[in-house]
Amino acid sequence: MSSRNIFYFIVTLCMLIGISMTLYRHIQFEVPWLPGEKRQIWSIEAKVEFDAKGESVEAVLALPLTQRGYTRIHESTASLAYGLSFVNDQDNPRAIWTKRTADGHQEMYYKVDFLVDPKAVDIYQPQMPDTPFTEYPEPYFTAANHLAKQAEEVSADAYSFTRELIKALTDETASKSQNTGLILDYKPKNRLVVDLLNNAHVPARIVRGLQLEDGRRRQGITEYIQVFKDENDWQIFDLATGTQGRPENTLLWEYNGNSLLEVVGGRNSQVTFSMLLVEQSAQSAVAPKISEADFLNFSIDSLPLEEQALFKGILLIPIGVLIVVLLRVLVGLKTSGTFMPVLIAMAFMQTSLITGLIGFLLVVGTGLVIRGYLSHLNLLLVSRISAVIITVIGIISIFSVISFKVGLTEGLKITFFPMIILSWTIERMSVLWEEEGPKEVLMQGGGSLLVAVLAFLAMNNDYVRHLTFNFMGIQFIVLGIILILGNYTGYRLLELRRFKPLADREG
Amino acid sequence: MLSQFTSPFKLARKGIMGMNQRNTGYISRYNPRKLYPLVDNKLKTKIIAQRDNVTIPALIGVVRTQHDIQSIIPLLHKHPGFVIKPAKGSGGKGILVITKQESGVFFKPSGAPAHEEDVKRHCSNILAGLFSLGGSPDVAVIEALIEFDSCFDGFSFEGVPDVRVIVFQGYPVMAMMRLSTAASDGKANLHQGAVGVGIDIGSGRALHAVQFDRPIEKHPDTDRPLKELVVPHWQRLLELASSCYEMSGMGYLGTDMVLDKSNGPMLLELNARPGLAIQIANGEGILPRLKLVEKIVAEGVKHDPLERVEFSKTEFSR
């Protein structure tokens, strides 16, 4: 009796571990129960390059923070033999690479992931800059003042003034005017706009943003004008068009009035950016937060992406197995080969259901005909199955070629079928045919296909995929259920029909 | 649709055993795994049966290698009738029956001739594993032909009638006869359409008959009323079945027996996973009988084979 108690203890333990792991992941890491919508993540890599002069080196790179529209979720760096420290001042976050001596071309990388997040807000309000007065030599000063005055006349506040100013320096007509041509020769537009704004007591400065474009490499930073109306009210202006507001798909890399990159001990320094847009499900978007956690958070998020994809399939197998156990133990369906339906269901997941079903029937049907001939040869089993395997490969190749020629690229997916499994299926069905007749083949084959389709539907379900991939605890729960089912000694559903005459006998 | 099903509570009240309960409660509990080869291999069964003086059809010879096949033919010519079967076959597959031979030509029960070459090829197929479970290489067992008792004439069509007795911990608990029909193609497997007749443990008389799990009164091919069926030598047959417990060590066992005209009941083969159709043939669930045996064994009652048969005859008589 005590062995029963141990059994129930193990089952309870499995269930408890499973449920608590699942709840823990849900509560602690906010992994949602349901598969959420896709979230976009910008993966941006900044490459800092300079030529070291053979003395001690210090490279300081300004780092972006969570801001309106973008949440910073992960950062990492790569640099050979450099000391690295992150300074996480809110008004001046930066990475500092240091080395005692360095010579020659130096490269270092900083990678950051930003989640596209409409709910994100600036976590830091930049300090309003002073408005130093800048004097230009004549005749530039008069020209500039004239330009500023013109803009001021047609504007109402700091923002409209900025807009008009940029427009005046950008317009078709403006470029032809002597005034603008003159001063733009003297100073670049970005400096000029800031100076003129400051001279009119409008706090403004140049900030740097990164235009996000999927797959761009070695992209430079774009400059914008940041204009303050008051302490908490500021706007970004596009220098090229004068458009007010943050441009779409632009990440402000540095908007606190600090330098982007400072290198001591090097020359020809520059920073370039590469970026990639990654579509991820909402829960893997929060994965970085998870992967840093402790042992209790046993999860496959910590594995490389390729292995994760593999596991996504593997973790579904227990669900298919559970379906088989349910249908055999509770319903009493006959299948040919206990877990063959799960393997067929796995193949269906690659091929899609209809293609898979048609392909399966075609291959097994043709295989049975050919196997029927082989049985006349009275071969030894291993040779016979080997011959069937080669035949199956032949059938699959022929079907693939034919379907491709006909223009059905779907047919190519037939190659996803596990050929050894198919061969064994054909062998078993064929033996069954000889021994029990076609009716039994239809029953067992149909049963197998029915179970395979049900297993496929369960394994292909979005919710099931989401749950098994994100909650390892589910595996323990499934194990617990299977153990309980293994202990089920009640009647199978089909036995209720089989034994009905017996139950109805007498009173 | 629903009317085709009955309620599980009704089945439980009738003491009907389901497949799940058979597997976990009886087969895996009472049949030690290591003893399976004794039962699954007919040659091994024969050897232990001979050791324990259990009546079996006489062994003529065993073909173990392709080379043996050549030397077996002269031996076969000395026996007018014989049966060649695979040691590891199941469900009556791969059994070649020769009832007579004339001037070197063998004849099957149906009268169809089988030449020496056919017999050789059949042996070769058995050795290759064509009929064995999972296709593993096998040996061919050649045994003397059973001369069936004529008492079953009209009850069986073209085939071998056999008696299956479920022996639980040495007690014969339930019995049935399996009669082949035209539908079963001369085979005695119930799922293929053979008739199952429940046999009273106390008297050896027919109780109830089914085909395809549904009750019938007459043999579908010969129209003989199945109620008239009585198994002769019933006492001897029960003793034989009961002694299979000591012989095989299996706690839950299906014993298949035939009646030979001159030698009486003989053990044909053992089955470690007997099916549940015997309940339908008997019109009764087997569980109350199993429970009773479990109870007396738990109480420490020790019976010898003869006492066990007497116990069963009084307790399970209907």
Side-chain angles (χ1 to χ4, degrees):
Chain A
M1 208 56 214
S2 72
S3 69
R4 280 286 98 169
N5 289 339
I6 291 171
F7 171 78
Y8 287 117
F9 175 73
I10 291 172
V11 170
T12 318
L13 199 68
C14 277
M15 292 301 234
L16 278 180
I17 291 176
I19 291 169
S20 43
M21 271 175 75
T22 309
L23 287 178
Y24 181 73
R25 258 181 87 78
H26 177 67
I27 294 163
Q28 189 69 23
F29 301 107
E30 296 157 31
V31 181
W33 292 126
L34 302 177
E37 77 275 24
K38 293 278 183 189
R39 301 288 284 271
Q40 292 184 315
I41 289 176
W42 283 101
S43 208
I44 303 159
E45 189 176 72
K47 182 184 184 187
V48 175
E49 291 170 285
F50 58 88
D51 296 319
K53 290 188 277 194
E55 50 200 61
S56 71
V57 169
E58 184 181 70
V60 181
L61 179 69
L63 303 181
L65 285 174
T66 293
Q67 52 189 281
R68 204 169 78 201
Y70 302 96
T71 303
R72 192 173 83 170
I73 51 175
H74 187 247
E75 62 178 356
S76 60
T77 59
S79 49
L80 202 63
Y82 268 85
L84 171 70
S85 59
F86 284 108
V87 179
N88 272 322
D89 282 352
Q90 287 235 308
D91 58 342
N92 189 16
R94 58 203 188 274
I96 304 170
W97 285 278
T98 47
K99 198 177 189 181
R100 184 64 69 185
T101 53
D103 204 2
H105 191 70
Q106 308 288 314
E107 286 180 2
M108 45 218 35
Y109 296 89
Y110 167 78
K111 189 165 167 281
V112 64
D113 289 340
F114 273 93
L115 177 69
V116 176
D117 183 358
K119 287 185 201 143
V121 291
D122 291 308
I123 57 166
Y124 168 69
Q125 279 295 333
Q127 296 281 319
M128 192 162 70
D130 294 333
T131 54
F133 191 82
T134 316
E135 208 164 334
Y136 298 169
E138 293 296 352
Y140 307 114
F141 194 58
T142 312
N145 278 344
H146 179 68
L147 199 70
K149 206 172 170 199
Q150 272 186 336
E152 203 168 2
E153 273 169 16
V154 292
S155 63
D157 59 359
Y159 294 157
S160 53
F161 178 50
T162 313
R163 275 199 307 272
E164 291 302 326
L165 204 57
I166 296 174
K167 204 156 68 181
L169 286 166
T170 315
D171 267 3
E172 277 287 305
T173 50
S175 62
K176 289 185 188 113
S177 113
Q178 284 201 335
N179 263 350
T180 46
L182 188 70
I183 43 175
L184 281 173
D185 281 344
Y186 174 68
K187 245 187 184 181
K189 189 159 87 175
N190 53 358
R191 293 289 341 149
L192 192 63
V193 173
V194 171
D195 286 349
L196 290 178
L197 285 171
N198 282 346
N199 287 356
H201 303 290
V202 174
R205 63 183 170 213
I206 295 171
V207 294
R208 294 164 193 89
L210 190 61
Q211 285 186 341
L212 300 173
E213 197 180 325
D214 191 19
R216 284 300 296 269
R217 296 178 61 233
R218 299 193 71 80
Q219 190 185 326
I221 204 112
T222 311
E223 290 189 335
Y224 296 92
I225 304 287
Q226 181 186 37
V227 179
F228 286 77
K229 197 179 243 178
D230 60 52
E231 200 64 45
N232 297 314
D233 188 1
W234 54 276
Q235 284 287 347
I236 295 291
F237 290 85
D238 190 332
L239 267 168
T241 62
T243 320
Q244 181 183 332
R246 294 187 184 184
E248 296 256 319
N249 288 326
T250 298
L251 178 79
L252 293 178
W253 195 274
E254 203 294 306
Y255 58 100
N256 301 310
N258 301 307
S259 58
L260 179 68
L261 175 67
E262 285 169 25
V263 176
V264 178
R267 63 171 91 81
N268 299 331
S269 66
Q270 63 160 340
V271 53
T272 53
F273 300 87
S274 311
M275 63 205 85
L276 200 63
L277 179 63
V278 192
E279 291 257 333
Q280 275 186 332
S281 54
Q283 62 277 0
S284 48
V286 295
K289 188 175 153 195
I290 296 168
S291 62
E292 288 159 13
D294 48 67
F295 172 74
L296 250 183
N297 169 39
F298 179 76
S299 113
I300 47 176
D301 290 324
S302 47
L303 290 175
L305 272 177
E306 196 184 332
E307 275 70 22
Q308 284 194 31
L310 186 69
F311 260 101
K312 222 169 188 164
I314 291 176
L315 289 175
L316 283 170
I317 295 179
I319 301 296
V321 169
L322 177 66
I323 297 289
V324 170
V325 174
L326 282 174
L327 288 175
R328 283 183 67 114
V329 172
L330 293 188
V331 179
L333 272 185
K334 274 188 190 171
T335 60
S336 92
T338 313
F339 290 112
M340 189 271 266
V342 180
L343 296 167
I344 300 295
M346 300 274 291
F348 283 169
M349 294 185 64
Q350 306 280 325
T351 59
S352 83
L353 187 57
I354 300 297
T355 322
L357 272 176
I358 295 172
F360 180 83
L361 291 176
L362 276 176
V363 173
V364 172
T366 319
L368 274 177
V369 173
I370 292 168
R371 166 65 177 74
Y373 169 71
L374 283 176
S375 75
H376 287 299
L377 301 180
N378 290 339
L379 299 176
L380 293 178
L381 182 91
V382 179
S383 332
R384 195 167 64 217
I385 298 209
S386 309
V388 173
I389 291 174
I390 294 168
T391 314
V392 164
I393 292 172
I395 297 168
I396 286 179
S397 324
I398 291 168
F399 283 146
S400 297
V401 171
I402 291 177
S403 60
F404 186 71
K405 289 260 156 103
V406 176
L408 294 168
T409 44
E410 275 288 284
L412 292 176
K413 290 182 177 167
I414 206 170
T415 48
F416 284 118
F417 271 111
M419 283 157 217
I420 310 281
I421 303 296
L422 275 188
S423 309
W424 268 108
T425 305
I426 291 169
E427 172 68 21
R428 258 199 219 103
M429 298 270 187
S430 174
V431 170
L432 205 61
W433 192 302
E434 282 168 16
E435 290 172 356
E436 311 272 334
K439 195 181 150 204
E440 194 66 21
V441 173
L442 273 182
M443 283 225 341
Q444 285 197 20
S448 300
L449 269 190
L450 179 67
V451 176
V453 169
L454 290 176
F456 165 79
L457 291 178
M459 288 159 76
N460 205 36
N461 183 288
D462 277 345
Y463 297 102
V464 172
R465 294 171 81 105
H466 169 81
L467 289 174
T468 50
F469 184 62
N470 289 289
F471 298 97
M472 286 298 261
I474 297 283
Q475 307 293 328
F476 282 94
I477 297 176
V478 169
L479 177 62
I481 295 173
I482 287 177
L483 286 178
I484 292 172
L485 284 173
N487 204 26
Y488 173 76
T489 56
Y491 301 104
R492 298 171 178 179
L493 187 62
L494 291 178
E495 284 175 347
L496 296 185
R497 193 177 68 180
R498 183 182 178 197
F499 291 129
K500 183 177 159 53
L502 194 44
D504 291 346
R505 215 170 157 255
E506 295 142 30
Chain B
M1 178 66 195
L2 257 180
S3 63
Q4 289 188 13
F5 293 89
T6 185
S7 97
F9 305 105
K10 215 167 167 183
L11 290 184
R13 216 166 40 238
K14 296 244 174 193
I16 293 159
M17 181 157 78
M19 203 58 98
N20 292 327
Q21 191 168 15
R22 183 202 73 168
N23 290 344
T24 59
Y26 291 92
I27 292 184
S28 65
R29 186 177 300 165
Y30 291 105
N31 291 352
R33 196 72 233 179
K34 61 170 185 179
L35 296 179
Y36 274 70
L38 286 184
V39 175
D40 287 343
N41 187 325
K42 290 192 185 76
L43 187 61
K44 289 187 178 170
T45 312
K46 257 187 156 32
I47 291 166
I48 55 169
Q50 281 175 339
R51 180 195 69 197
D52 288 13
N53 295 320
V54 172
T55 328
I56 45 166
L59 182 65
I60 294 175
V62 180
V63 183
R64 293 175 195 277
T65 63
Q66 296 285 341
H67 183 256
D68 290 345
I69 297 174
Q70 296 304 327
S71 51
I72 205 78
I73 296 294
L75 185 63
L76 294 181
H77 282 302
K78 290 180 194 152
H79 297 265
F82 56 88
V83 180
I84 302 180
K85 51 170 80 166
K88 293 186 218 162
S90 68
K93 284 177 294 248
I95 297 181
L96 176 71
V97 182
I98 298 296
T99 43
K100 59 174 181 174
Q101 44 180 301
E102 273 167 28
S103 58
V105 179
F106 303 104
F107 290 93
K108 296 186 203 172
S110 58
H115 298 279
E116 257 180 40
E117 283 311 304
D118 298 325
V119 175
K120 281 183 189 169
R121 200 181 60 242
H122 189 80
C123 288
S124 172
N125 279 344
I126 290 176
L127 295 185
L130 195 65
F131 308 106
S132 63
L133 284 167
S136 54
D138 206 350
V139 298
V141 178
I142 304 168
E143 60 186 28
L145 186 67
I146 300 155
E147 288 175 67
F148 296 105
D149 203 310
S150 56
C151 61
F152 295 129
D153 286 350
F155 287 117
S156 197
F157 182 79
E158 277 187 353
V160 187
D162 71 352
V163 183
R164 158 152 309 175
V165 182
I166 303 283
V167 179
F168 179 53
Q169 308 208 64
Y171 294 85
V173 287
M174 206 172 244
M176 74 167 165
M177 275 212 83
R178 297 185 300 184
L179 310 172
S180 49
T181 62
S184 76
D185 196 24
K187 289 176 186 152
N189 291 327
L190 293 199
H191 73 269
Q192 287 169 331
V195 171
V197 184
I199 304 289
D200 179 30
I201 289 280
S203 63
R205 288 178 184 281
L207 287 170
H208 177 68
V210 289
Q211 187 186 27
F212 290 120
D213 292 349
R214 295 289 178 267
I216 54 165
E217 295 291 327
K218 291 175 177 173
H219 191 281
D221 304 313
T222 63
D223 277 345
R224 244 191 110 163
L226 296 164
K227 282 270 178 212
E228 292 173 6
L229 186 72
V230 184
V231 182
H233 314 295
W234 186 242
Q235 172 71 21
R236 170 79 196 113
L237 194 144
L238 284 185
E239 286 166 18
L240 187 65
S242 174
S243 66
C244 288
Y245 171 59
E246 272 87 6
M247 179 186 111
S248 70
M250 289 285 198
Y252 185 79
L253 193 64
T255 59
D256 291 347
M257 271 156 303
V258 285
L259 285 169
D260 188 78
K261 200 181 265 173
S262 42
N263 295 314
M266 279 185 169
L267 176 68
L268 203 58
E269 61 177 83
L270 298 174
N271 196 324
R273 311 167 195 82
L276 300 174
I278 196 166
Q279 299 180 98
I280 303 173
N282 273 272
E284 198 179 330
I286 197 173
L287 274 178
R289 304 185 184 192
L290 298 177
K291 292 257 156 68
L292 178 67
V293 173
E294 274 180 326
K295 185 168 152 263
I296 63 158
V297 170
E299 281 166 1
V301 176
K302 295 247 189 297
H303 282 144
D304 63 26
L306 216 65
E307 289 168 335
R308 292 200 301 256
V309 170
E310 288 312 313
F311 177 85
S312 292
K313 279 174 89 171
T314 40
E315 292 292 334
F316 305 138
S317 177
R318 288 291 174 273

